Amino acid sequence: MDYFFIIDFVQSLADGLLFGTTYALIGIGFTLIFGVMRKLNLAYGAAALAGTYVGLGLFLTFNAPPFVVFLASAIGAGLIGLVVYYCCFRFTPEAHPMASLLASVGMLLFLEEMMTHVSHGMPHPYPSVLSGATLELGDIWIRGDLLFVFGICVVAMALLFWLLYRTPLGLATRAVSQQPRAAQLCGIDSARVNALTFVIAGVLGGTAGAMTAAAVGILSPIIATGLTVKGLIVVVIGGLGSIPGAIIGGLLVGAAENIFLLLRGVTERDIYVMLLLFLFLTLRPGGLFGSAATRD
Amino acid sequence: MKLKSLITAGMISASALALSSAAFAADKTVRIVGFGASSGVVGIFGQNSGAAMSAAFEKINAEGGITLADGSKAMIETEYYDDRCNAEEGISVLRRIASTDALVAIGPTCSNVAEPLFGILQAKVDDAGDTGLQFPVFTDVAIKGGLAGISEWVFRNTPSEAKMYDDLFAWIRETYPDAKTIYGGVEEDFAHSRFTWYSVMKTAAEAHGFELVGEAQWLLNDTNFSNQARGMRRAEPDVVAISAHPFTSCGMLREMARQKIQPKVLVGLTSSSSLETLSGCANEAQGIIIPTSFAPVNDEAKAAAEAVAAKGGALDLHSAAAWENAMILRDVINAAGIEGTPDTLEADRRKIRDGLAALTTAHGLLGENKRMPDGEAVKPYVFVHAQGNAWEVVHNPGS
């Protein structure tokens, strides 16, 4: 094993783990919604990206500074998340889970088309932070912007945990997630909790979208499918409904992608990531942190 | 008196008939349609082509339209059909177009649509055993080399990338004599990018004495290029050639800047000499050299660019071909003597096909385009590089 291979391996691992935090945020969004409503929102990745375009709009129109752009992306995605909830989940019959699933597929296609239409499919520059900075540890280079992305994602996750475990809203969310009927009997408005969950998940998705665009330096609608697919892989590997699972899953997928890229090249990279997904579905369908517990 | 009244009435009737015939002639129309990707992530190509066609036909109509076999004039009606850069949709769109009164179609946008789509056309004209579609297609955008050979009903006005890159690497060899090595970067899952790197750029570079020191591959919607750029950094190439479309070209160029990769010469894919690249990453793209068959370097090209801009489009090497195709078709139709009636539709289409096949040269915005026997074109071209927020001509091989 030569020196350069070891350097490449460590570098790929580091890049993958840092970039994997964005996958983790997307995974958390999927898992949060599933955890509370037991429904999959397939429009989530597209909604996250649509929110990122709200931030981009501010950047292109008013030359807004990066932090304002990131914040607008997160808030925009939160609001679009709310629209997705009301359009696809709020009024679809509980007894027909396929209705909301297919409605979210429709919304995914609608949002993708809308973004493509508005942007004419063209890539647009998206502001980055620390894009020129590099932390050099011998032959290992850690990108400053990826460290920033990592930091923002960690802060977003910490805020989420605080929200879920230290606030009345979090208590209500966990109650609805565990026993929706019992929560309602205790006076918790489950529709309101569901709506807020979509907003919170949207904010996380918008942050992930903004950080993905900031890491590349440009935004294009073609990212939407990637965000959706990666998010789903992350939740399957981490365990649908588990937030720690989504975090570990995100980091694992980010690292695996880069390692497979190094070892097998770009044409085989996704084959191995999908194989990983297949192995989990077959051997551990609940994912790493999936719970066997059911609810009423 | 009675006779006089009859003669007067007859004259009035004859005049009315003549007037109505004239009005009828002025109302005559023929349809030439466009198709390609006008939505989806490469929709901008189709939108620009549509705008170019529309502007060109408007100009032709303003100048009196086209001349039919009986000497009367007809206006050109046009419409743009969207295939979303999808092969199945492209085939379905062309079948639909062929079932209308359209005489000829300009398109498609994507090479991955063009290749299977040309396969549904009759391969050899007059081959009774071949039941393929008999409909002329005059391609403007899909640039992958050699596709016109699939059917004798296909003609292309796309530049010859093989010729352009061969000249470009010869020019680089001469202009940068110290440059010895080349590193390639390719968007592996896009037909045009792959073909251009593996079959065109790489071949041309090696033919002109550049030593290939490595290749990096990525996919169309990749967002992380650090692995690929690392290999490039270690190889320390003099020339870097990127065969990718604007989104990933920009991603890779940014990663190269981050990793402080500074080749002596940066070469890009023909399709990247567009506003998209400058809109996505003008700073990182500074100096990238690209051969292109369109630049607003003369009065005619400037006027065409302005007319297309007025239609909301932008004239680049792809959409300029749509403009040229419209003008070439006007000349072919004028010379072919088509009837322009429903009864003569098939015969008219055949006349247009034969007219296109008979061309040996055609007027283009940068000069004369050579028409090749296999339906392909060899077009004049220039080398442009990104300077500030515009593409500037760095070398004109024709001058």
Side-chain angles (χ1 to χ4, degrees):
Chain A
M1 203 178 285
D2 71 356
Y3 173 73
F4 280 126
F5 178 78
I6 295 168
I7 292 295
D8 281 348
F9 191 87
V10 176
Q11 182 77 63
S12 297
L13 197 62
D15 286 347
L17 288 173
L18 291 174
F19 206 76
T21 48
T22 59
Y23 298 165
L25 278 185
I26 290 288
I28 290 173
F30 271 110
T31 221
L32 204 57
I33 293 167
F34 184 82
V36 172
M37 291 194 74
R38 287 294 188 267
K39 284 177 179 173
L40 210 48
N41 172 19
L42 290 178
Y44 178 62
L49 199 66
T52 314
Y53 268 98
V54 173
L56 179 72
L58 278 186
F59 177 64
L60 294 176
T61 314
F62 302 109
N63 200 21
F67 284 102
V68 175
V69 174
F70 300 158
L71 195 63
S73 298
I75 294 171
L79 294 175
I80 293 168
L82 191 63
V83 172
V84 171
Y85 169 69
Y86 277 105
C87 291
C88 306
F89 292 87
R90 177 69 179 88
F91 303 108
T92 50
E94 288 276 330
H96 297 90
M98 282 300 281
S100 55
L101 185 75
L102 291 177
S104 73
V105 172
M107 183 59 88
L108 159 75
L109 299 174
F110 172 75
L111 288 172
E112 267 190 349
E113 279 303 318
M114 204 174 68
M115 285 182 283
T116 305
H117 187 75
V118 169
S119 68
H120 295 283
M122 285 170 69
H124 288 91
Y126 195 85
S128 302
V129 174
L130 304 173
S131 60
T134 308
L135 181 64
E136 294 187 25
L137 305 169
D139 283 332
I140 307 290
W141 294 16
I142 305 292
R143 276 169 52 179
D145 61 336
L146 279 189
L147 272 178
F148 174 79
V149 168
F150 182 79
I152 290 287
C153 292
V154 169
V155 168
M157 288 174 206
L159 278 174
L160 176 70
F161 272 96
W162 173 78
L163 194 74
L164 285 179
Y165 292 98
R166 293 280 183 274
T167 66
L169 172 64
L171 188 66
T173 306
R174 284 183 290 133
V176 172
S177 165
Q178 287 161 13
Q179 294 287 340
R181 281 185 203 164
Q184 273 182 315
L185 288 172
C186 293
I188 294 171
D189 181 352
S190 62
R192 184 170 162 271
V193 168
N194 289 341
L196 282 171
T197 304
F198 269 79
V199 173
I200 294 165
V203 168
L204 291 174
T207 308
M211 292 304 102
T212 304
V216 193
I218 37 180
L219 185 60
S220 163
I222 63 173
I223 302 176
T225 311
L227 284 181
T228 306
V229 173
K230 296 281 165 53
L232 289 172
I233 294 173
V234 164
V235 291
V236 168
I237 290 176
L240 202 52
S242 162
I243 292 174
I247 296 171
I248 300 295
L251 298 178
L252 193 66
V253 170
E257 256 189 0
N258 265 26
I259 297 297
F260 289 137
L261 174 65
L262 173 73
L263 298 177
R264 302 301 306 169
V266 76
T267 49
E268 291 183 30
R269 178 193 62 193
D270 292 348
I271 295 175
Y272 289 99
V273 174
M274 291 301 168
L275 191 63
L276 193 67
L277 176 70
F278 174 75
L279 285 175
F280 266 93
L281 283 170
T282 312
L283 304 175
R284 199 176 168 84
L288 287 172
F289 292 84
S291 163
T294 54
R295 63 178 191 173
D296 59 336
Chain B
M1 184 66 189
K2 199 173 179 183
L3 182 65
K4 198 175 174 184
S5 300
L6 277 173
I7 291 169
T8 308
M11 283 175 70
I12 289 169
S13 303
S15 304
L17 192 65
L19 278 172
S20 70
S21 297
F24 180 69
D27 285 346
K28 276 186 182 170
T29 57
V30 294
R31 281 182 80 238
I32 298 176
V33 301
F35 71 109
S38 60
S39 67
V41 290
V42 290
I44 191 73
F45 290 94
Q47 289 160 24
N48 283 336
S49 278
M53 275 177 53
S54 174
F57 288 135
E58 198 169 281
K59 183 176 187 295
I60 292 167
N61 287 340
E63 289 167 357
I66 51 135
T67 309
L68 299 176
D70 61 2
S72 64
K73 289 284 189 181
M75 299 293 124
I76 299 173
E77 270 184 1
T78 189
E79 192 177 352
Y80 201 87
Y81 292 78
D82 186 10
D83 69 16
R84 300 177 55 83
C85 194
N86 176 289
E88 288 82 10
E89 288 192 39
I91 289 169
S92 158
V93 159
L94 186 65
R95 287 197 190 282
R96 201 158 73 241
I97 290 171
S99 69
T100 69
D101 59 349
L103 290 172
V104 52
I106 297 174
T109 304
C110 301
S111 299
N112 60 303
V113 174
E115 207 160 359
L117 181 120
F118 295 165
I120 68 162
L121 295 167
Q122 188 182 49
K124 298 272 177 207
V125 173
D126 295 331
D127 179 356
D130 185 345
T131 56
L133 210 56
Q134 296 175 35
F135 186 83
V137 175
F138 198 11
T139 299
D140 53 346
V141 181
I143 199 170
K144 184 180 167 184
L147 296 183
I150 296 173
S151 164
E152 288 181 356
W153 287 87
V154 174
F155 302 89
R156 301 204 313 161
N157 186 31
T158 55
S160 164
E161 286 195 318
K163 171 81 178 124
M164 291 199 296
Y165 280 103
D166 189 60
D167 267 11
L168 177 64
F169 282 106
W171 178 77
I172 293 171
R173 160 68 53 235
E174 196 181 304
T175 315
Y176 300 90
D178 295 341
K180 309 277 186 216
T181 56
I182 184 169
Y183 200 101
V186 56
E187 201 171 56
E188 195 71 11
D189 56 343
F190 207 89
H192 174 213
S193 311
R194 258 186 74 84
F195 178 84
T196 304
W197 168 248
Y198 291 110
S199 304
V200 178
M201 285 185 181
K202 194 170 156 179
T203 313
E206 287 177 336
H208 290 284
F210 291 97
E211 182 198 348
L212 183 70
V213 290
E215 289 172 309
Q217 289 93 5
W218 58 85
L219 304 183
L220 186 63
N221 56 4
D222 272 1
T223 51
N224 186 3
F225 305 89
S226 55
N227 257 321
Q228 292 92 333
R230 208 161 48 246
M232 191 182 281
R233 173 161 56 89
R234 286 211 190 104
E236 296 181 352
D238 299 320
V239 181
V240 169
I242 295 181
S243 185
H245 289 81
F247 175 65
T248 61
S249 286
C250 282
M252 187 63 190
L253 288 170
R254 276 179 192 261
E255 188 59 40
M256 285 169 64
R258 253 184 227 121
Q259 297 200 20
K260 302 177 181 70
I261 300 167
Q262 292 171 327
K264 292 186 178 91
V265 188
L266 195 54
V267 174
L269 181 66
T270 47
S271 300
S272 290
S273 64
S274 62
L275 274 178
E276 285 178 277
T277 308
L278 297 178
S279 137
C281 56
N283 288 340
E284 290 78 6
Q286 290 301 295
I288 190 168
I289 302 172
I290 300 178
T292 175
S293 55
F294 177 77
V297 291
N298 58 43
D299 290 344
E300 190 185 356
K302 282 176 193 163
E306 280 168 19
V308 176
K311 288 274 175 194
L315 213 57
D316 55 25
L317 86 156
H318 298 304
S319 52
W323 172 284
E324 290 177 350
N325 285 11
M327 298 300 173
I328 293 168
L329 284 172
R330 173 198 58 188
D331 296 342
V332 166
I333 290 171
N334 284 344
I338 66 162
E339 308 280 339
T341 66
D343 294 339
T344 60
L345 184 61
E346 282 184 20
D348 288 344
R349 287 173 177 173
R350 176 60 190 264
K351 283 178 185 171
I352 291 172
R353 191 223 79 88
D354 292 346
L356 286 168
L359 289 177
T360 54
T361 59
H363 180 68
L365 289 169
L366 292 194
E368 289 296 301
N369 297 341
K370 278 186 201 157
R371 298 293 320 161
M372 309 309 283
D374 60 358
E376 300 283 353
V378 176
K379 304 176 71 172
Y381 50 87
V382 292
F383 303 152
V384 293
H385 67 169
Q387 278 297 95
N389 279 318
W391 293 102
E392 285 186 2
V393 176
V394 65
H395 179 64
N396 185 346
S399 65

